[in-house]
Amino acid sequence: MVTPVRLHNTLGRRLSELTPLEPGHVRLYTCGPTVYNVVHIGNLRTFVFEDILRRHLLAKGYRLTQIMNLTDVDDKTIGGAREAGLSLPEFTAKYEEAFFRDIGRLNVQPAEKYPKATDHVPEMVALIETLRERGHTYESDGSVYFRIATFPGYGKLSGIDLSQMRRGERVAEDEYEKEDAKDFALWKGAKPGEPSWPSPFGQGRPGWHIECSAMSMKYLGRHFDIHTGAVDNIFPHHENEIAQSEAATGEPFVEVWLHGEHLVVDGEKMSKSKGNFYTLDDILAQRDDPAAVRYLFLSVPYRRKLNFTWEALAGAAAGVARIRSAFGRIEEVAASGAEKPGAFDAKERGRKFLEDFTAAMDDDLNTSEALGALFPYLREVNVASDDGSLDARGARAALEAIRSADRVLGVLPAAPDALPAEIEARIEARNAARKRRDFAEADRIRAELASRGIVLEDGPSGTRWKKA
Ligand SMILES: [Zn+2]
């Protein structure tokens, strides 16, 4: 029997039992990066939390469709491209590649699709047209705004107080003050020297918020199961997504909203001026151990603030080393081939361990408790190995139990036989993309594999891969 997964829903601030709208299939949207810089470790913490959610749902046997967007047109990307003297696609391609490299090193499983905003402008225009037909918009100076006074549900996610809102106020920028609810731009009139697209409202470009509404509903339907992001997405981004989507469809948009807490460094907010702003490269230059970074993220449940310190990272590295060395010792016993009557019952203990592990993960992805279940099990198996009561059969059962937990944790090196199967699946996905002439997607899969050290060679007999 599958035990239920309980998740803390920001909408209503309560634990919700996950009941997929389509039985057995979870549809998940995760707000992706704005590709204008190299993401910092706080962003990466959010992506790892979403990976843990993904892996746990897969481990529970759900079919999963995860969509993560890439915001490749907004104020920041346009400003960055201009400063760098590059075209927008040239500029964003660089950071897109850096993003996939970072999440690859942190062993984040790829989402089913990474749609780009610039590939979905027609969908955004269509959504704005629907909002216009339904009376939720007004136009001014070539831009289109969402009138939040026409959506009574505004504020239900964030709890923002609408009585503080002054009538007719609006914002043309994507970035604006928090705690301040204002009409927001759906479509921004073209400015000289900026990329723009044609639309019934004139030449222009989409606002940031409409990007996520259009792409999530295109790939997951008008009403889907889970939408995630970091806590600073709750307002205004996700509040605005709800307003746009529900005003357009007249249906509920998302069942469960999950938000990852911030990461602070030495107890302080990260900032470039304080010199405590880290990218993954900054961290790995000091300690080249991506698994330790991942483990550090797992050691604190996603809804609690995580304090990054070098000592905490050293502690996480020790944790990974303990898991790996215990695993290695058990592998040796498994390889010995000996079986003994009355040996330590690693299978039964493993079953109990996985039960505790799963219960912790079902409890709003409590990764620290899940890790807490792993170590006593490793210790017991190691003690049995020391006193000779662990036989090969027990060792194999223990390896299976630990591997099973690691399908969620992702801190052990990939099993030698698991890797090719996964790569073959990605190659198949790439072939399918090429067949439907989606070359952007095909190139993306190639780049994603390259970031993991896998090189593809296309030949007359198909695609072969090798390690770089
Ligand atoms: Zn978003």
Side-chain angles (χ1 to χ4, degrees), residues 295 315-328 375-376 378-379 382:
Y295 183 101
V320 174
R322 271 164 66 204
I323 297 173
R324 290 186 173 182
S325 87
F327 193 80
F375 284 104
L378 291 180
R379 203 156 37 238
N382 268 335

Side-chain angles (χ1 to χ4, degrees), residues 236-275:
H237 185 47
H238 290 165
E239 194 71 65
N240 290 352
E241 274 190 51
I242 292 175
Q244 297 161 153
S245 308
E246 298 192 352
T249 66
E251 286 175 37
F253 177 41
V254 169
E255 287 293 299
V256 180
W257 290 85
L258 305 182
H259 292 97
E261 248 301 342
H262 282 146
L263 176 150
V264 293
V265 173
D266 292 321
E268 285 190 75
K269 193 170 184 278
M270 256 194 297
S271 85
K272 283 190 172 146
S273 59
K274 275 190 227 141

Side-chain angles (χ1 to χ4, degrees), residues 29-32 69 71 208-209 211-213 215 227-229 233 237-238 241 257:
Y29 187 83
T30 49
C31 279
N69 69 296
T71 296
W208 173 39
H209 311 299
E211 296 183 1
C212 280
S213 284
M215 290 188 278
H227 193 312
T228 67
N233 291 143
H237 185 47
H238 290 165
E241 274 190 51
W257 290 85

